[in-house]
């Protein structure tokens, strides 16, 4: 059996900027989903989520980084997915996201200097601007990409959040340990 070593590499200045993160904020539409609005013939809202992204959120929790979701929408599929992932810090139907993020930070006893955010459009900019580290998925609006320290290669709903999670895990020194645990190997 061969040893698995980390396959991810990020620029050193990016890793320095992302060190010390204790909470990561995520938008939903365009970040955790592809941003499309799908409706059944009965008018029910449908969402498509990536399992890669879901596992990334779980890995953040395992590393002691709290994932938090702030979204302008609310739907049963979204609530079901976040509940399945064990995401406890969520603000639904939130148009002004900065006060919602501040409330979560206050609850956790964490400041903006230990926060990161991933967003894709104007409603996310205030949170992205205040956080120590910001990311946007490929395909995000130009303003979100311009504000981001890192723009993912993957699109929203197709592994962008996982890429962001992996970057935070590498920067925090957690990635290799979690990989060893997952594969049952030690160095």
């Amino acid at each position: 059996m061969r040893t698995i070593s980390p396959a991810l590499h990020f620029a050193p200045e990016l890793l320095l900027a992302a060190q010390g993160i204790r909470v990561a904020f995520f938008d939903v539409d365009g970040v955790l989903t592809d941003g499309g609005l799908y409706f059944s013939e009965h008018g029910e809202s449908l969402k498509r989520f990536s399992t890669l992204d879901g596992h990334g959120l779980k890995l953040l929790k395992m590393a002691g980084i709290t994932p938090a979701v702030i979204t302008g929408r609310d739907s049963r599929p979204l609530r079901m997915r976040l509940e399945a992932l064990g995401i406890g810090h969520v603000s639904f139907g939130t148009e002004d996201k900065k006060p919602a993020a501040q409330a979560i930070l206050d609850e956790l006893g964490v400041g903006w200097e230990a926060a990161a955010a991933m967003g894709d459009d104007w409603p996310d900019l205030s949170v992205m601007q205040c956080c120590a580290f910001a990311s946007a998925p490929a395909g995000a609006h130009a303003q979100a990409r311009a504000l981001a320290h890192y723009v993912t290669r993957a699109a929203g709903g197709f592994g962008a959040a996982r890429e962001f999670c992996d970057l935070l895990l590498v920067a925090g020194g957690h990635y290799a340990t979690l990989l060893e645990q997952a594969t049952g190997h030690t160095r």
Side-chain angles (χ1 to χ4, degrees):
M1 191 179 311
R2 61 187 178 125
T3 302
I4 298 173
S5 55
L8 297 178
H9 303 282
F10 297 100
E13 61 273 11
L14 202 58
L15 295 174
L16 284 172
Q19 284 184 345
I21 299 301
R22 295 182 45 216
V23 61
F25 294 108
F26 294 85
D27 177 41
V28 174
D29 292 324
V31 173
L32 295 178
T33 74
D34 62 10
L37 299 176
Y38 302 92
F39 296 96
S40 74
E41 63 184 49
H42 303 291
E44 295 173 312
S45 174
L46 306 173
K47 300 274 186 192
R48 180 202 169 279
F49 297 95
S50 166
T51 57
L52 284 173
D53 293 343
H55 193 67
L57 295 171
K58 287 180 181 180
L59 290 171
L60 284 183
K61 287 176 56 177
M62 291 171 65
I65 300 171
T66 302
V69 172
I70 302 175
T71 177
R73 296 189 180 274
D74 190 0
S75 69
R76 188 164 188 270
L78 173 58
R79 286 180 180 264
M80 290 172 58
R81 180 63 178 148
L82 295 178
E83 184 178 317
L85 293 172
I87 307 298
H89 299 281
V90 183
S91 179
F92 296 103
T94 305
E95 294 302 320
D96 190 0
K97 295 184 177 190
K98 185 177 172 185
Q102 184 64 62
I104 292 170
L105 291 172
D106 291 346
E107 181 182 336
L108 295 171
V110 175
W112 289 103
E113 72 283 352
M118 183 172 218
D120 72 315
D121 207 346
W122 287 19
D124 307 314
L125 298 178
S126 63
V127 175
M128 292 172 68
Q129 186 177 25
C130 289
C131 285
F133 191 81
S135 183
H141 188 276
Q143 283 306 143
R145 291 192 320 266
L147 192 56
H149 295 91
Y150 181 70
V151 177
T152 64
R153 291 180 189 95
F158 292 93
R162 176 59 180 271
E163 198 173 324
F164 175 54
C165 292
D166 286 344
L167 190 157
L168 296 178
L169 293 170
V170 172
H174 308 289
Y175 188 90
T177 302
L178 291 168
L179 181 62
E180 288 173 0
Q181 291 172 2
T183 62
H185 288 93
T186 56
R187 287 186 264 173

